[in-house]
Amino acid sequence: MDEKFVADVKMKLTEQRESILKSLASQSDEMKNLIKPIESGDEADVASDVIDRTLLDSLGAQDAQRLQQIDAALERIRTGKYGVCLGCNKEIPQARLEALPYAFLCVSCASAAERRNR
């Protein structure tokens, strides 16, 4: 794997990681505001708050999952295993890594895993 490409990916992943951490911190502040007791409000206000809370939880879970994937990719970079498919041990094409820098499976293995999970 091209060292310059890996260095660029590492920088992108680090930036994405920082962005997610900031987003999760912001969502945490928003969640605290939503959790405050509602002094007066009708059923529509309560329902709106529940929807907001559910949406924030969902976004937080997606960000947390992506953060784990980014951390795993950064670990593979650190150990020199970045760009190698964890399924078949073949090199993951650079185009796939450009599109999804935290990919850990080649397209074939990812497709097979997706079919198994249906």
Side-chain angles (χ1 to χ4, degrees):
M1 178 95 5
D2 179 27
E3 288 183 32
K4 181 184 179 336
F5 174 74
V6 173
D8 289 345
V9 168
K10 183 178 180 179
M11 187 172 58
K12 274 188 210 175
L13 288 170
T14 302
E15 289 170 0
Q16 286 180 7
R17 184 178 194 283
E18 291 172 11
S19 175
I20 290 170
L21 290 173
K22 286 179 185 175
S23 174
L24 288 172
S26 170
Q27 290 173 20
S28 176
D29 290 341
E30 291 175 28
M31 188 62 89
K32 287 176 189 172
N33 289 334
L34 287 174
I35 293 173
K36 288 181 183 176
I38 302 171
E39 293 175 12
S40 66
D42 59 16
E43 289 179 26
D45 289 339
V46 172
S48 175
D49 286 343
V50 169
I51 291 169
D52 289 346
R53 220 174 283 138
T54 303
L55 179 61
L56 282 174
D57 281 344
S58 174
L59 291 173
Q62 289 173 356
D63 281 344
Q65 181 182 13
R66 203 169 86 206
L67 184 62
Q68 288 177 333
Q69 292 172 335
I70 288 171
D71 285 343
L74 289 170
E75 178 64 17
R76 289 191 302 277
I77 289 172
R78 190 185 70 71
T79 60
K81 296 179 181 178
Y82 182 75
V84 176
C85 176
L86 297 179
C88 66
N89 289 322
K90 293 181 182 175
E91 189 169 310
I92 299 172
Q94 187 169 327
R96 176 161 171 76
L97 293 172
E98 286 172 357
L100 191 65
Y102 44 83
F104 59 92
L105 296 173
C106 67
V107 173
S108 297
C109 289
S111 294
E114 189 175 306
R115 282 192 301 277
R116 281 191 305 270
N117 291 333
R118 286 185 185 175

